[in-house]
Amino acid sequence: MMEFSQKMVVTGIIMPDDWDENGKVIEIALYTNTEEVYTVEHNSLTGELMNHLYRSVEIKGKIRKHPDGNRSISAHNYIVLDETVENE
């Protein structure tokens, strides 16, 4: 069965998805408020996105649906949504 892909904008929270033997995060996923999970594919933005764990982001990219039912996203760009700056 072929996977399909389409460009979309998906909003959710970046969460760890896999770790190496030392406990370092090596895979991340985007969890949406509709309980969808998108594994974030490795590309030039993956390292940047790993710096935003547990934060709300909007990712624009290519969505792929895999034969096992899982979904992934290849990020083309993103925006961090919960940036709040407080003056003290």
Side-chain angles (χ1 to χ4, degrees):
M1 181 176 202
M2 280 294 285
E3 66 181 45
F4 72 86
S5 62
Q6 64 187 99
K7 285 189 177 176
M8 286 182 63
V9 176
V10 183
T11 302
I13 297 174
I14 297 288
M15 300 289 286
D17 199 47
D18 196 15
W19 297 261
D20 68 11
E21 63 277 357
N22 299 316
K24 180 180 179 225
V25 175
I26 56 172
E27 298 279 343
I28 55 175
L30 185 70
Y31 284 71
T32 72
N33 63 356
T34 56
E35 299 182 7
E36 294 176 306
V37 178
Y38 296 89
T39 303
V40 177
E41 297 177 12
H42 285 273
N43 67 17
S44 59
L45 293 179
T46 307
E48 286 182 38
L49 285 164
M50 284 186 177
N51 293 327
H52 299 294
L53 287 175
Y54 310 109
R55 313 227 0 231
S56 289
V57 297
E58 179 182 283
I59 297 178
K60 182 185 283 185
K62 189 171 276 187
I63 302 289
R64 294 181 219 282
K65 186 167 184 182
H66 302 277
D68 62 5
N70 290 326
R71 294 180 182 168
S72 63
I73 185 166
S74 177
H76 295 170
N77 56 45
Y78 70 94
I79 302 166
V80 178
L81 297 175
D82 65 352
E83 291 285 344
T84 56
V85 178
E86 292 184 20
N87 264 338
E88 296 200 24

